[in-house]
Amino acid sequence: MSPTTTESTTPQSTPSAPARPKARRGEGQWALGYREPLNPNERAKKDDNPLHVRDRIVNIYAHGGFDSIDPGDLRGRFRWYGLYTQRKPGIDGGRTATLEPEELDDEYFMLRIRIDGGLVTTRQLAVIGEVSQTYARDTADITDRQNIQYHWIRVEDMPAIWNKLEGAGLTTMEACGDSPRVVLGSPVAGIAEDEIIDGTPAIEEIKRRFIGDKAFSNLPRKFKSAVSGLPDVAHEIHDVAFVGVNHPEHGPGFDVWVGGGLSTNPMIGQRLGAWVPLDEVADVYGAVISVFRDYGYRRLRHRARIKFLVKDWGAAKFREVMEEKYLNRKLIDGPAPEVPAVPYDHVGVHKQKDGKFYVGAAPIVGRVSGSVLVQVAKAAERAGSTRVTFTPQQKLVVLDVPEAEVASLQTELAKLGLQTEPSVWRRGVMACTGIEFCKLAIVNTKDRAMDLVAKLEARLKDITDVIAGENSFAPISVHINGCPNSCARIQTADIGLKGQIVTDDDGAQVEGFQVHLGGGLGLDAGFGRKLRGHKVTATELPDYVERVVRNFVAKREPDERFAQWVTRADEGDLR
C-alpha cells in the first residue's frame, strides 16, 4: 500500500511530528504546523491544485490564445503539464537577470514528454516525431532526464498534441513543476548481461500509484528519482535513487540513496544503508516523497529541495522518520553497490543476455529532429526491433537487434547523423537548452558544443587513443550549461562549463564560462576543482580545452584518470 494516499490539503493525514526545532521555525514545514504559504509559488499551489490547469488549457486558452492565459497559470501551473514559455528571440544573455518574466516570455512554449525509464516503442517514437513535424517546427531534443523536449509549441495546438501523444500511450503530466517528475531507468533494463535486477516493474508501479495523484502534486520543489539495476542513471545526484545490489542473504534488490542534487548548492546523495526488494521499491519511494512533502522547506525556493532536509537531518534520522512515520516497519540493512571502473553510456554495439544486440548512437548534445526520430523508428523496424530507449547522457539506443542486422542499422543511423562509433568528444559532451530557448540562460550552449566537438575532433586526433584507452571507454567529458542551474550536470563533468557574461581582452562584455574541472560520479564522485577567478570567453573555449587536455596527456601517470590528475595538477596547467 502507498504510505499515504490522503490528499495533501487534508491536515489530518499528516503524521505526528517531533518537537519543533527552533533553528527551523518558519521554514514552512507542513508537519510542524506551518500550513500558511510563505511565498507566491506556495500561494499559487494552495489556491488551485496545478493539475487542474489542463481543463483551462483545453477549454479556454486553446480557444483564446496566448493573451487569454492567466499569469498564475502561464508561469506556474502550466509546468505540471510540461509547458514552459520559451525565450523571446533577440534578448542577449546580459539582460537575463534584469528583465521581468513577461519581458522574457515568447508566445511559444517548450514542451516535455515524460518517458519514465526512457523506453518507447517504435510506434511511439514515430508519433513523437510526427508531432514535432506538425506542431514544433521539426524540433526535438533528447534531454539528460530521458525526456524529449519540443520548441515552438502554441497553446492553441495543445489539445491536438495531447490527443496524438496520449493515443500512443505517452504523457506530459508532471514532466515539470513541484511534482514527482520522470523516473530515470536503465536504458538496457531487462536485457543487459551484467544487470543485477530489472527495475522496470518498480518504475511502472511508481507511475501507477503516484503520478497524477493530487496528494503528491504540491511538493516543496521538483522531485527527481531513478530506479536501475545498473549504476547507469547518475544515482548519486537524485532526490531519491534505487540502484541494483546483491544482498549476501536476500539476493538481488536495491540500495537507497537520498538527498543528491546539483544547481548552485551541489550535494552528493547519502546512502540510507537499506536494502529494498523489487516489490517494495514503490512503498519506499512513497515514504521518501511523503517525508519531503511534509517536512520539506517551503519558505525559500532556493532551500526547498530535499537535499537541504537530508543535509540538516542526516541519513540516519531521515531513515528513522521514514520507517516510523510512513512505512511503520524497519528496512533491511544492506551493502553498497559496486562502483563501475568506467562509466556506462551504452553507446556502440553490445550483446544482450538473450543473444540479440543493442546499438547505442550519439547525436551531438541530444539534438535531433522530428524527422530524424521518424526515420530512426523506421530503421529500427527494418532491423527487426520495436523498442528504442533514451539515455541520461542524451543518447539513444535501439534494442533487440538480430546480429545479422547490426551493420545495416549502424549504416542507417550514421546517415541520420547518429554515430555508433563516435569520437570521445562527441560521446562525452552534454549541453542544456541554452539561450536559444531558455529564459534562464545567459549563453548559447548547443551551438557552442557542436562547434567545440568539431574543433576537438580535428585538433586532437593525435591523442585520441590515449584519452579513450585501448580497451575501454574513459573519455574526458565536457558539459556545457547556460546558467548556474546545472541542468547539464557541470559539477560532475571532467570539464564543466557554467555560462556567464565575462570581459574579454578588449574590455568588452561577451559570452563566456566559469570552469569546473575534475568532477565526476562513480569512482570520481565529487564536484572537482573550481579555479578562483578563472573564466574563459566562448571564442577561447576550443583553445582552452585543447590546452588542458594536452597538459593532461603529457603529465598524467600511467592509467591516471582526468579527475585524478586535476586534484594534483599545478594550477598553471589548468588555466
Side-chain angles (χ1 to χ4, degrees):
M1 293 179 60
S2 172
T4 174
T5 56
T6 305
E7 196 161 322
S8 60
T9 54
T10 306
Q12 290 86 345
S13 68
T14 302
S16 59
R20 295 182 182 180
K22 293 182 180 179
R24 288 289 166 247
R25 183 175 179 84
E27 287 283 8
Q29 295 162 281
W30 284 2
L32 301 188
Y34 298 111
R35 306 287 298 194
E36 187 62 27
L38 295 173
N39 62 56
N41 297 88
E42 290 298 308
R43 169 58 63 188
K45 291 184 290 181
K46 183 176 182 179
D47 287 346
D48 184 46
N49 190 292
L51 292 176
H52 295 162
V53 78
R54 175 172 171 142
D55 287 343
R56 291 193 289 277
I57 293 173
V58 172
N59 298 319
I60 300 174
Y61 305 143
H63 301 283
F66 185 86
D67 290 338
S68 71
I69 303 172
D70 179 89
D73 286 341
L74 180 66
R75 300 182 191 95
R77 302 180 191 97
F78 266 40
R79 298 175 185 180
W80 272 251
Y81 282 92
L83 287 160
Y84 287 85
T85 50
Q86 67 186 40
R87 188 188 190 94
K88 188 178 296 183
I91 300 175
D92 66 74
R95 301 175 65 199
T96 296
T98 65
L99 297 178
E100 295 299 321
E102 60 270 19
E103 296 178 283
L104 290 166
D105 286 335
D106 198 1
E107 295 187 359
Y108 296 94
F109 294 85
M110 300 190 290
L111 175 66
R112 288 182 194 155
I113 306 171
R114 72 173 293 152
I115 305 171
D116 296 271
L119 175 66
V120 293
T121 65
T122 49
R123 173 178 173 267
Q124 289 174 323
L125 185 62
V127 168
I128 291 170
E130 290 163 4
V131 168
S132 168
Q133 291 172 317
T134 305
Y135 301 107
R137 301 189 187 181
D138 207 30
T139 60
D141 288 329
I142 303 169
T143 77
D144 62 4
R145 302 293 304 167
Q146 297 180 289
N147 296 317
I148 290 291
Q149 185 161 285
Y150 297 135
H151 305 286
W152 301 110
I153 297 294
R154 301 188 319 144
V155 72
E156 292 91 337
D157 294 325
M158 282 309 303
I161 291 171
W162 278 328
N163 285 339
K164 184 83 169 174
L165 293 175
E166 291 167 2
L170 298 163
T171 184
T172 70
M173 181 186 290
E174 295 184 320
C176 312
D178 299 346
S179 66
R181 298 193 184 187
V182 65
V183 184
L184 266 60
S186 174
V188 292
I191 63 171
E193 289 188 312
D194 54 349
E195 180 182 52
I196 292 174
I197 187 171
D198 182 358
T200 304
I203 294 175
E204 291 301 314
E205 183 65 5
I206 288 169
K207 286 170 56 181
R208 185 186 71 81
R209 286 164 55 175
F210 300 103
I211 308 310
D213 185 345
K214 292 178 183 178
F216 300 97
S217 63
N218 179 0
L219 302 177
R221 282 292 301 273
K222 66 183 76 170
F223 188 76
K224 295 183 176 182
S225 58
V227 181
S228 179
L230 287 170
D232 59 354
V233 289
H235 63 272
E236 302 98 325
I237 52 172
H238 279 79
D239 296 299
V240 64
F242 301 82
V243 59
V245 66
N246 277 309
H247 193 285
E249 298 176 14
H250 302 286
F254 296 89
D255 188 46
V256 187
W257 294 60
V258 297
L262 297 178
S263 193
T264 54
N265 286 282
M267 299 181 196
I268 293 292
Q270 300 184 40
R271 293 185 59 240
L272 293 185
W275 176 89
V276 178
L278 178 64
D279 60 359
E280 294 181 12
V281 168
D283 290 338
V284 176
Y285 174 98
V288 173
I289 199 172
S290 296
V291 172
F292 178 44
R293 179 195 63 197
D294 297 340
Y295 289 94
Y297 305 149
R298 292 175 181 264
R299 181 170 65 89
L300 300 173
R301 292 285 288 176
H302 70 270
R303 274 182 51 82
R305 293 290 297 275
I306 197 174
K307 63 186 177 182
F308 294 100
L309 180 66
V310 174
K311 179 183 178 182
D312 289 346
W313 277 9
K317 179 179 177 180
F318 191 97
R319 177 175 171 177
E320 177 185 357
V321 172
M322 187 177 73
E323 291 173 334
E324 293 184 0
K325 305 295 183 182
Y326 297 90
L327 290 173
N328 299 313
R329 59 182 170 82
K330 297 289 187 181
L331 295 171
I332 299 171
D333 292 338
E338 292 186 9
V339 180
V342 295
Y344 286 92
D345 74 346
H346 306 300
V347 172
V349 178
H350 305 269
K351 192 173 184 179
Q352 299 178 182
K353 62 185 180 183
D354 63 359
K356 293 182 179 180
F357 290 80
Y358 65 86
V359 180
I364 301 180
V365 295
R367 176 134 292 178
V368 284
S369 68
S371 298
V372 164
L373 295 180
V374 169
Q375 292 304 313
V376 169
K378 293 178 179 178
E381 290 176 349
R382 284 193 290 269
S385 170
T386 60
R387 300 195 302 161
V388 175
T389 56
F390 305 115
T391 82
Q393 293 79 34
Q394 301 180 322
K395 311 298 190 288
L396 65 83
V397 185
V398 180
L399 309 181
D400 310 324
V401 180
E403 184 174 9
E405 301 295 334
V406 168
S408 60
L409 176 62
Q410 288 181 283
T411 299
E412 289 202 60
L413 293 175
K415 291 178 181 178
L416 298 172
L418 305 173
Q419 297 182 11
T420 59
E421 297 178 354
S423 72
V424 295
W425 306 112
R426 175 186 285 249
R427 190 169 184 170
V429 70
M430 292 196 341
C432 71
T433 298
I435 200 171
E436 182 181 10
F437 297 112
C438 180
K439 294 183 298 181
L440 301 178
I442 301 169
V443 302
N444 184 298
T445 55
K446 297 284 191 184
D447 293 335
R448 296 288 183 198
M450 293 178 185
D451 177 70
L452 179 64
V453 166
K455 286 184 167 63
L456 294 178
E457 286 177 339
R459 295 182 185 185
L460 295 174
K461 289 181 179 179
D462 58 315
I463 58 173
T464 294
D465 290 341
V466 177
I467 298 167
E470 295 181 359
N471 301 309
S472 64
F473 166 54
I476 296 176
S477 57
V478 181
H479 295 186
I480 303 177
N481 217 77
C483 76
N485 287 328
S486 201
C487 295
R489 307 202 292 262
I490 53 174
Q491 295 102 327
T492 58
D494 288 310
I495 300 175
L497 302 163
K498 181 177 75 175
Q500 56 186 224
I501 300 300
V502 303
T503 304
D504 68 11
D505 291 339
D506 297 324
Q509 297 288 292
V510 298
E511 289 191 1
F513 301 92
Q514 184 182 65
V515 180
H516 295 254
L517 296 172
L521 300 173
L523 288 175
D524 301 305
F527 304 127
R529 186 172 173 183
K530 183 166 64 177
L531 303 183
R532 185 179 297 275
H534 184 56
K535 298 176 177 61
V536 178
T537 67
T539 55
E540 295 171 337
L541 187 58
D543 293 339
Y544 170 74
V545 175
E546 179 185 5
R547 184 166 64 249
V548 171
V549 170
R550 289 194 180 278
N551 287 340
F552 162 64
V553 171
K555 300 183 180 183
R556 70 195 289 257
E557 300 292 337
D559 299 321
E560 187 174 33
R561 299 184 300 277
F562 185 84
Q564 294 174 305
W565 173 73
V566 165
T567 62
R568 66 170 184 81
D570 292 337
E571 188 166 313
D573 290 332
L574 304 177
R575 290 185 175 271

